[in-house]
Amino acid sequence: MKKIILSAVVLLLMSCAELQQVVNQLPQGTSGIGNEQIAQGLREALNMGIDKQVNKLALENGFFKNELVKILLPEELQKVDKTLRDIGLSSLADEGLRIINRAAEDAVGEATPIFVEAVKGITFNDARQILLGNDNAATQYLQQATKTQLYNKFNPIIKQSFQKVGADQIWSNIITKYNNLPLTNDVNPDLTDYTTNEALKGVYAMIGVEEKEIRTKVSSRTTDLLKKVFALQD
């Protein structure tokens, strides 16, 4: 009897070992989805974010009338805005805000291809970690991959946009009027750098909106690949 039990245990252990070998050869995850498909799904999701959200920012009022990403005055100039409005120069303050946001819209329209190339760079090894990360893990990956390159692209476009519409003169007028007021400290911020960084924040914010939608709402997964891949993180 002991020999029979011992033989059964040996067979069971051998079967478990063989089963584990089979499991090890299967793609990681469920439903036979491997890292290649996960990477493809993440690329598709990010491309949707670029197509549905970022491209909107390149349109007129894409920033200016989007409260989520609208670029407001830097902290140093918020007192300028308030003071101008208090003395009846609201239209001048509004024009200053509009021009800042127009510059950001111009920059996004020129730089979108950088995102497309970066999306292609998602590796199979990174795919699963990104998928199982937080609600904006893919957006964070894209930000790390593109921020420096986008800044270098956005900055001269924003500077040129300011010059094209005479923003440098408008802002000079605004700041000069403010600096000439009694009991105020002179202000001279680098608006090009500020606007560039705010534009970048807006772009990543909108990509993050779409990523979160796909991660949290099954109805937003509009293709079979998205449904299959993002089901793994549900």
Side-chain angles (χ1 to χ4, degrees):
M1 183 67 178
K2 290 182 179 180
K3 290 182 178 180
I4 294 174
I5 294 174
L6 180 60
S7 298
V9 171
V10 171
L11 286 173
L12 179 60
L13 290 174
M14 289 177 62
S15 298
C16 289
E18 291 172 355
L19 179 60
Q20 186 60 48
Q21 287 181 348
V22 172
V23 170
N24 290 340
Q25 292 173 1
L26 291 174
Q28 296 181 30
T30 59
S31 305
I33 300 177
N35 286 345
E36 182 174 358
Q37 278 187 296
I38 292 174
Q40 290 173 349
L42 289 171
R43 292 187 194 110
E44 186 171 312
L46 285 171
N47 281 325
M48 284 180 62
I50 293 168
D51 185 56
K52 292 178 63 177
Q53 302 293 347
V54 176
N55 287 342
K56 291 179 183 178
L57 297 178
L59 301 176
E60 184 173 318
N61 292 322
F63 273 87
F64 190 58
K65 292 191 176 180
N66 183 338
E67 292 303 318
L68 181 62
V69 298
K70 181 179 180 180
I71 301 175
L72 303 177
L73 291 178
E75 184 177 354
E76 297 90 342
L77 281 180
Q78 287 176 8
K79 55 187 176 181
V80 178
D81 182 87
K82 183 179 185 305
T83 301
L84 290 173
R85 295 181 190 281
D86 288 346
I87 63 175
L89 294 174
S90 295
S91 60
L92 184 60
D94 288 339
E95 183 63 15
L97 278 180
R98 186 177 294 107
I99 287 171
I100 286 177
N101 285 271
R102 287 288 184 271
E105 292 156 11
D106 287 346
V108 173
E110 294 292 330
T112 297
I114 294 174
F115 283 114
V116 175
E117 288 302 312
V119 169
K120 295 177 183 178
I122 294 178
T123 67
F124 301 155
N125 292 333
D126 291 331
R128 189 170 297 274
Q129 183 177 355
I130 294 171
L131 178 68
L132 300 180
N134 56 34
D135 285 347
N136 68 338
T139 303
Q140 289 177 340
Y141 171 89
L142 194 59
Q143 182 173 353
Q144 292 173 356
T146 63
K147 187 173 182 179
T148 299
Q149 188 178 5
L150 281 180
Y151 181 94
N152 292 335
K153 181 69 174 178
F154 277 27
N155 193 265
I157 295 172
I158 288 172
K159 183 176 181 179
Q160 183 179 16
S161 179
F162 282 160
Q163 293 173 343
K164 178 177 65 178
V165 297
D168 47 350
Q169 186 60 51
I170 291 173
W171 275 107
S172 177
N173 290 339
I174 291 175
I175 294 172
T176 298
K177 286 181 181 294
Y178 177 81
N179 288 343
N180 285 337
L181 294 173
L183 303 178
T184 59
N185 297 320
D186 287 357
V187 175
N188 187 27
D190 183 348
L191 285 174
T192 300
D193 176 72
Y194 171 79
T195 304
T196 300
N197 284 308
E198 292 300 301
L200 290 173
K201 290 179 186 177
V203 167
Y204 296 125
M206 295 310 297
I207 293 176
V209 165
E210 190 64 24
E211 179 185 356
K212 187 173 181 179
E213 284 282 311
I214 292 173
R215 284 185 181 272
T216 60
K217 295 182 180 179
V218 176
S219 60
S220 296
R221 303 167 190 172
T222 55
T223 69
D224 290 339
L225 179 61
L226 289 177
K227 291 173 183 176
K228 186 180 296 185
V229 168
F230 282 91
L232 295 179
Q233 55 101 69
D234 289 339

